[in-house]
């Protein structure tokens, strides 16, 4: 058995530019990765995800897909979600919501548990992500001590609180949703790798992936505006984490940032 595994995680994939840039990055940079996870809730034109995009990203090497508040923006997901157990939605949605919030994947000689959670501060009033995590960790610990958590949340304080709450009980806690990569990656004292936000795979000339004109119309003039995914070169943001297989504790966490050049 390997002494450690390398997990790559990529933040919110924003439409075609985000998919294109991530696939370009993975075509030349996934060597040595044992597991690749990405948040795909915005992969379809900036809102939701379609089956064709899951297949496209799987072919590029992504093995598990997490979601968030835009997971169900496109009705097509109800038609294919049950066929893709590796496509997650937040686990703290109400009982009976389609899909699953956790997934156990075989990675070489070991298994890795992946948990997707949704924040409550400035977001929908879902179940407690803290209590939901407690239950899922207890279940997954029967099969593995390597657990990865994507916490899709707005408030940095809520993300930090969950990181500290789970320190030593999971291998990794990454924040998503705000689309802006933070510079606070570290391994917490009890062995959990943490970053407040992994960032996004998103057009660079944009406001969190959206065209400037529509954003200005809404924010400056306070008028209704339909947000459209911006065009042009995109950046790929995420993290690379090395985890000790025996203990499940993180050894290192490093930010990833790759920028396309030209169109």
């Amino acid at each position: 058995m390997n002494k450690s595994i390398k997990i790559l995680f990529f933040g919110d994939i924003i439409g075609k530019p985000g998919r294109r840039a991530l696939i370009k990055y993975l075509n030349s940079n996934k060597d040595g990765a044992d597991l690749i996870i990405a948040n795909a809730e915005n992969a379809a034109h900036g809102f939701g995800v379609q089956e064709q995009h899951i297949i496209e990203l799987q072919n590029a090497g992504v093995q598990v897909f997490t979601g968030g508040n835009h997971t169900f923006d496109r009705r097509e997901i109800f038609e294919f979600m049950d066929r893709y157990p590796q496509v997650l939605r937040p686990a703290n949605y109400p009982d009976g919501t389609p899909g699953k919030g956790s997934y156990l994947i075989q990675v070489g000689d070991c298994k890795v548990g992946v948990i997707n959670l949704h924040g409550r501060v400035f977001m929908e009033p879902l179940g407690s992500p803290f209590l939901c995590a407690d239950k899922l960790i207890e279940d997954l610990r029967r099969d593995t001590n390597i657990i990865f958590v994507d916490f899709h949340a707005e408030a940095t304080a809520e993300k930090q609180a969950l990181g500290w709450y789970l320190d030593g009980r999971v291998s990794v806690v990454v924040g998503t949703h705000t689309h802006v990569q933070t510079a606070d990656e570290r391994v917490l004292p009890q062995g959990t790798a943490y970053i407040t936000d992994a960032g996004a795979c998103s057009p660079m000339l944009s406001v969190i992936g959206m065209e400037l004109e529509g954003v200005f119309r809404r924010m400056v003039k306070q008028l209704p505006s339909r947000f459209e995914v911006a065009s042009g070169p995109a950046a790929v943001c995420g993290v690379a984490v090395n985890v000790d297989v025996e203990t499940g504790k993180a050894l290192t966490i490093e930010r990833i940032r790759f920028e396309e050049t030209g169109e």
Side-chain angles (χ1 to χ4, degrees):
M1 181 181 292
N2 294 331
K3 293 183 179 180
S4 66
I5 62 169
K6 182 177 183 180
I7 302 173
L8 300 184
F9 176 82
F10 298 96
D12 305 48
I13 303 167
I14 312 298
K16 183 176 181 179
R19 300 194 313 270
R20 179 193 66 226
L22 178 56
I23 291 168
K24 186 181 298 184
Y25 177 84
L26 290 176
N27 282 341
S28 58
N29 291 281
K30 64 185 174 186
D31 290 348
D34 299 290
L35 175 61
I36 301 174
I37 307 168
N39 187 295
E41 67 146 11
N42 300 116
H45 315 295
F47 301 94
V49 64
Q50 295 173 308
E51 184 176 14
Q52 68 200 55
H53 303 137
I54 295 297
I55 294 171
E56 177 186 32
L57 293 163
Q58 276 187 322
N59 290 338
V62 181
Q63 294 149 279
V64 183
F65 301 84
T66 54
N69 56 305
H70 291 294
T71 292
F72 297 112
D73 278 8
R74 294 182 180 272
R75 67 182 64 183
E76 300 98 310
I77 196 167
F78 298 109
E79 300 172 4
F80 70 81
M81 198 171 206
D82 287 342
R83 300 199 303 274
Y84 294 86
Q86 70 274 37
V87 177
L88 302 180
R89 49 83 173 162
N92 51 324
Y93 268 90
D95 291 343
T97 301
K100 302 293 182 183
S102 65
Y103 182 63
L104 188 67
I105 183 171
Q106 188 75 38
V107 179
D109 296 326
C110 63
K111 294 179 179 179
V112 177
V114 182
I115 296 173
N116 192 185
L117 296 169
H118 191 294
R120 296 197 295 183
V121 179
F122 308 128
M123 299 184 77
E124 291 86 348
L126 301 180
S128 168
F130 297 86
L131 300 182
C132 183
D134 286 341
K135 178 62 168 62
L136 291 174
I137 291 167
E138 181 182 354
D139 293 342
L140 289 169
R141 281 282 185 180
R142 299 187 181 104
D143 296 294
T144 183
N145 59 359
I146 305 173
I147 300 175
F148 186 102
V149 179
D150 173 0
F151 188 29
H152 200 77
E154 182 78 33
T156 55
E158 190 180 23
K159 294 181 187 181
Q160 287 187 338
L162 188 76
W164 285 112
Y165 184 71
L166 298 183
D167 185 23
R169 295 197 284 153
V170 301
S171 307
V172 189
V173 175
V174 298
T176 55
H177 178 64
T178 62
H179 299 189
V180 178
Q181 189 179 58
T182 56
D184 61 340
E185 75 283 1
R186 56 175 166 160
V187 177
L188 300 178
Q190 301 304 315
T192 295
Y194 172 84
I195 188 169
T196 297
D197 203 287
C201 301
S202 169
M204 289 183 284
L205 184 58
S206 72
V207 174
I208 62 170
M210 300 296 120
E211 288 279 7
L212 299 179
E213 183 178 351
V215 174
F216 293 161
R217 176 179 170 86
R218 183 179 297 186
M219 292 189 175
V220 177
K221 299 183 178 180
Q222 298 296 303
L223 295 173
S225 175
R226 179 181 174 85
F227 286 169
E228 299 287 349
V229 175
S231 57
V236 170
C237 292
V239 291
V241 185
N242 285 291
V243 178
D244 184 277
V245 169
E246 183 176 351
T247 65
K249 295 184 182 299
L251 302 172
T252 62
I253 178 172
E254 296 181 357
R255 273 176 287 147
I256 294 170
R257 183 175 174 87
F258 160 77
E259 295 185 2
E260 286 186 306
T261 55
E263 285 295 329

